[in-house]
Amino acid sequence: RKQYEEITRVNEILSHQAMVDELTDMNNRRYMEWFIGEKIKKLEEESGTISCMMLDIDYFKEYNDLYGHQMGDQALVEVGRTLLSVKGDGIRPYRYGGDEFSIIFLNQEEKEVKHILDTVKRAVAEKHIEHAGSYTAAVLSLSCGYAFTADREKDQRKLLKEADAALYRTKANRTKGSLYTGQGTL
C-alpha cells in the first residue's frame, strides 16, 4: 500500500512538471496543445468558437542582454502574472516557451478577444518595467497575433500556425511604426 501511494505521489509530481511551466507557474505549451485538441474535437459535436492568441515580449533578447537573465526571468514572471489575472469563462493563458505566451479563448466574440488583448498589453505597459533596449518604447511591451475560428474542420496545428503567423505580421509592421496590421493581428 505504501509503495502504491508513493508511486501515485511521484506520478502526480511528474504530471504537474510535464504540464506546468516552472518559472511562471502557468500551464505550458504541451498542456495547451492537448487542451486545444480536446476543444476542437468538441467543436465537431457542437457549435462554438476557439481563438488562439500568441503574444511575445518585444525585443526580449535585448532586454536579457542589457539587464541580465535573472531580470529577464522576473519580466517573464510579471507578464505571466498579468496574463493569469485575465478572468472569464473559457479564457486560458499559457506560457508557450521562451518569451512567448498564448491565450486560448472559447466561445468569445472577436470584439471581446480584441478588447482583452488591448487590456493585457496596456496592463503590461502600465507595470513600467524599464526596457532601454526597446526600439519602440522605454518600457516592456508585447506584440500579439491571433487566429479566430468556428470551423469544425480546423486542426490545432493550423490554428497555432495561423496565430503565430499573425504575431509575426504584427512584429514586422511594428518595426515600421504600426501597432495593428488588420484582421487577425493585434
Side-chain angles (χ1 to χ4, degrees):
R1 177 173 160 85
K2 283 187 177 190
Q3 278 182 322
Y4 175 77
E5 288 174 359
E6 181 62 19
I7 289 170
T8 300
R9 187 181 72 75
V10 168
N11 282 338
E12 288 172 359
I13 291 169
L14 291 173
S15 178
H16 179 78
Q17 290 175 341
M19 299 295 184
V20 176
D21 175 64
E22 185 178 349
L23 180 65
T24 62
D25 206 32
M26 300 173 76
N27 284 115
N28 63 20
R29 177 182 181 168
R30 185 177 298 117
Y31 183 83
M32 180 197 74
E33 289 175 349
W34 171 83
F35 180 79
I36 291 173
E38 292 298 307
K39 294 306 173 184
I40 288 177
K41 285 179 196 172
K42 283 195 104 170
L43 277 180
E44 294 170 4
E45 302 164 7
E46 51 192 61
S47 64
T49 62
I50 184 168
S51 302
C52 178
M53 317 310 140
M54 297 298 290
L55 309 95
D56 80 3
I57 300 172
D58 295 323
Y59 308 108
F60 191 67
K61 181 190 179 315
E62 290 80 358
Y63 188 88
N64 270 336
D65 290 348
L66 189 61
Y67 299 104
H69 288 91
Q70 288 181 335
M71 290 298 292
D73 285 352
Q74 187 56 42
L76 293 169
V77 168
E78 287 300 317
V79 170
R81 283 184 188 148
T82 302
L83 296 178
L84 286 169
S85 72
V86 175
K87 302 290 186 213
D89 288 337
I91 301 173
R92 298 188 179 227
Y94 301 90
R95 172 127 184 249
Y96 195 73
D99 65 323
E100 290 187 324
F101 296 85
S102 63
I103 304 174
I104 303 302
F105 293 84
L106 302 175
N107 300 317
Q108 301 287 324
E109 296 292 325
E110 192 169 8
K111 177 176 71 172
E112 181 64 17
V113 169
K114 287 181 178 182
H115 171 73
I116 290 170
L117 285 174
D118 271 337
T119 301
V120 166
K121 287 176 66 172
R122 191 170 36 259
V124 168
E126 288 173 357
K127 287 183 177 285
H128 300 289
I129 300 170
E130 181 182 351
H131 189 350
S134 174
Y135 302 106
T136 57
V139 295
L140 205 69
S141 61
L142 299 176
S143 288
C144 309
Y146 70 93
F148 182 87
T149 188
D151 182 357
R152 293 182 175 132
E153 300 301 318
K154 182 138 339 216
D155 71 19
Q156 68 185 14
R157 285 187 202 102
K158 187 173 180 184
L159 186 66
L160 291 170
K161 187 176 181 178
E162 288 175 7
D164 199 47
L167 169 63
Y168 280 93
R169 283 194 307 272
T170 299
K171 292 181 83 56
N173 283 344
R174 175 166 260 184
T175 60
K176 297 174 188 170
S178 171
L179 295 179
Y180 301 99
T181 62
Q183 186 175 20
T185 61
L186 177 66

